[in-house]
Amino acid sequence: MAGLLLPFAGLLAAALLWAAGAGWLGATTPVASAFAPQATAEALQALLFGRDLWGDVAFSLQRVAVGLAIALVLGIPLGVLTGLSPLFSRATTPLFQFARMISPLSWMPIAVMVLGVGDAPVYFLLAFAAVWPILLNTAAGVSQLDPNWLLLGRSLSATRAETLLKLILPGITAHILTGVRLAIGIIWIVLVPAEMLGVSEGLGYFILDARDRLAYSDLMAAILVIGFLGYLLDHAARSLHRRWLHA
């Protein structure tokens, strides 16, 4: 019971602080009343029973899936190669560490110039943000593999493909899932500003549209939806990781 009461108490305290802050600001800034919990709850109810928000949610989740898939296709092979080849690791680690410290959002103007407007630059930004935790966690997993496993595979005349598919990948799956969880968190943070980049659907676009319509209650409701969906995605990733560890 305490496991449910404590999170509820934390959320209740946050809601009370939110209401107090909106009331305090409303005394000097009338528009702040649109951000209050009651106005936001009414807007959220209308949005949840409407159609527009769900379409934007679907587009955003699709972009997350595509960006994560691209990051997995690039990050896992590069991570395996980094972990297996000391020469490749020494040659690329400075480059990888340099590139991952560049904010994905700083690539926005270049992405638009090269890829044009639409989904392509959004996919690029999301994949660029997500590839580094997957790559680095994959490499860490390979480096921590028991060398005797690989020696055993060679002694049994396993091919490179068999060694990769039956020894390496099963042995580093937990590390890959850790990278995926971190990548989902980063993608979800980058998603909203990326969707303010020449697209006409998605949660980021919805926030811009709500601002332009002066629908501040809708804007605040969308922020709550973004937080809740992000929580669900992280919870799903954590559950998958725990299930793999205890399988």
Side-chain angles (χ1 to χ4, degrees), residues 17-32:
L17 288 173
W18 175 13
W24 177 69
L25 287 174
T28 56
T29 309
V31 73

Side-chain angles (χ1 to χ4, degrees), residues 17-100:
L17 288 173
W18 175 13
W24 177 69
L25 287 174
T28 56
T29 309
V31 73
S33 60
F35 295 96
Q38 182 178 354
T40 301
E42 294 172 355
L44 180 61
Q45 182 179 5
L47 289 174
L48 291 179
F49 288 98
R51 296 182 180 180
D52 295 340
L53 180 66
W54 292 112
D56 289 314
V57 167
F59 277 109
S60 291
L61 292 178
Q62 174 190 322
R63 293 183 180 118
V64 168
V66 172
L68 184 61
I70 295 172
L72 286 168
V73 169
L74 295 175
I76 293 177
L78 287 173
V80 170
L81 187 57
T82 301
L84 289 178
S85 172
L87 181 63
F88 183 81
S89 177
R90 288 196 298 271
T92 58
T93 295
L95 173 62
F96 291 158
Q97 294 294 343
F98 176 83
R100 80 181 185 91

Side-chain angles (χ1 to χ4, degrees), residues 145-168:
L145 282 175
D146 188 343
N148 292 324
W149 286 15
L150 302 180
L151 289 175
L152 178 62
R154 294 193 191 101
S155 68
L156 295 175
S157 301
T159 64
R160 290 185 177 180
E162 289 172 336
T163 300
L164 176 63
L165 297 176
K166 297 184 178 181
L167 290 177
I168 295 176

Side-chain angles (χ1 to χ4, degrees), residues 184-195:
I184 288 174
I186 296 172
I187 276 183
W188 197 247
I189 292 172
V190 174
L191 173 70
V192 172
E195 286 185 331

